[in-house]
C-alpha cells in the first residue's frame, strides 16, 4: 500500500497535537490546585485568586464537620480570597502537599480529585498546629489557556493537632 507524504505526516502530527493539548490541559488543571496552596503559603493574593473562577464556591464543611466546625460555603473568588487570607495572614503559617491527582476532562470542564496534606501552625506558638489529610473534589472550567476552580469540596480523612485553634469550632 502506498501512503502519500501528506497523509503520512498529517495523521501523526494531529495525534501529537491532540496528545500535547491534553497534557497541557492536565498540567494546567493540577496547577490550579498548586496555585490554591502556594497562594496561601505565600499569602500572595494575586496567585491565590488566580486559582478561582469569579463565581467559585469553596465548601470546607465536610472537613470542618469532623471536629465540630460549621463554616459557611464561601461563594465568589473575592470572598474566598478575603476570608482565607484574612484568617491566615499574620496568624497562621501553612503548607499544602498535593498527591494522587486524578483528572477527567469534558470539553471546557474538568473534575479533579486529589489528596492534600495541609499543615497549619500558629505563628505565635508553633506548638499549636493542625495536620490534615484531606480528599479534595474539584470542578474546574477552562479560562483561556488556564483552568480555574469553580467548585471545591474539601473533606477530611484524618487529622492530628487542634484544628479548632486554626479554624475555630
Amino acid at each position: 500500500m502506498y501512503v502519500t507524504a501528506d497523509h503520512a505526516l498529517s495523521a501523526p502530527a494531529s495525534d501529537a497535537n491532540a496528545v500535547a493539548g491534553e497534557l497541557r490541559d492536565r498540567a494546567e488543571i493540577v496547577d490550579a490546585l498548586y496555585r490554591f496552596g502556594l497562594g496561601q503559603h505565600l499569602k500572595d493574593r494575586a496567585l491565590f485568586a488566580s486559582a478561582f473562577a469569579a463565581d467559585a464556591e469553596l465548601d470546607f464543611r465536610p472537613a470542618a464537620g469532623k471536629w465540630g466546625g460549621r463554616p459557611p460555603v464561601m461563594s465568589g473568588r473575592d470572598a474566598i480570597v478575603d476570608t482565607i487570607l484574612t484568617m491566615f495572614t499574620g496568624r497562621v503559617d501553612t503548607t499544602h502537599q498535593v498527591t494522587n491527582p486524578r483528572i477527567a476532562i469534558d470539553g471546557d470542564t474538568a473534575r479533579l480529585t486529589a489528596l492534600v496534606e495541609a499543615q497549619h501552625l500558629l505563628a505565635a506558638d508553633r506548638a499549636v498546629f493542625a495536620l490534615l489529610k484531606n480528599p479534595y473534589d474539584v470542578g474546574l472550567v477552562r479560562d483561556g489557556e488556564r483552568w480555574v476552580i469553580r467548585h471545591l469540596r474539601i473533606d477530611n480523612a484524618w487529622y492530628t493537632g487542634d484544628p479548632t485553634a486554626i479554624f475555630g469550632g
Side-chain angles (χ1 to χ4, degrees):
M1 176 174 159
Y2 178 76
V3 178
T4 66
D6 288 341
H7 182 272
L9 294 175
S10 66
S14 65
D15 290 347
N17 288 340
V19 168
E22 182 171 345
L23 290 173
R24 184 175 44 255
D25 281 344
R26 289 177 174 279
E28 284 294 330
I29 287 165
V30 174
D31 188 63
L33 202 47
Y34 294 156
R35 295 189 316 265
F36 168 86
L38 190 59
Q40 290 177 67
H41 309 171
L42 300 174
K43 313 300 190 277
D44 183 326
R45 178 171 291 281
L47 180 61
F48 189 49
S50 76
F52 297 101
D55 62 347
E57 287 187 352
L58 192 155
D59 186 358
F60 193 65
R61 294 175 305 172
K66 303 285 171 80
W67 60 79
R70 298 177 60 171
V73 173
M74 291 176 248
S75 297
R77 175 179 44 227
D78 293 340
I80 294 167
V81 171
D82 289 344
T83 300
I84 291 174
L85 292 185
T86 298
M87 180 173 50
F88 286 172
T89 300
R91 194 178 79 76
V92 177
D93 291 324
T94 184
T95 60
H96 293 74
Q97 297 174 345
V98 177
T99 63
N100 301 35
R102 299 287 300 154
I103 298 166
I105 302 170
D106 184 11
D108 289 337
T109 64
R111 180 165 179 237
L112 165 66
T113 58
L115 290 175
V116 178
E117 189 168 285
Q119 174 77 54
H120 304 284
L121 303 155
L122 287 184
D125 182 357
R126 295 200 178 278
V128 179
F129 70 94
L131 175 63
L132 307 105
K133 181 65 86 172
N134 295 331
Y136 278 38
D137 187 1
V138 189
L140 301 102
V141 294
R142 188 186 308 270
D143 183 19
E145 292 294 314
R146 280 204 144 158
W147 286 82
V148 292
I149 298 167
R150 177 163 287 154
H151 301 283
L152 173 54
R153 182 180 182 274
I154 302 173
D155 202 343
N156 178 256
W158 57 261
Y159 69 87
T160 186
D162 185 4
T164 62
I166 307 301
F167 302 104

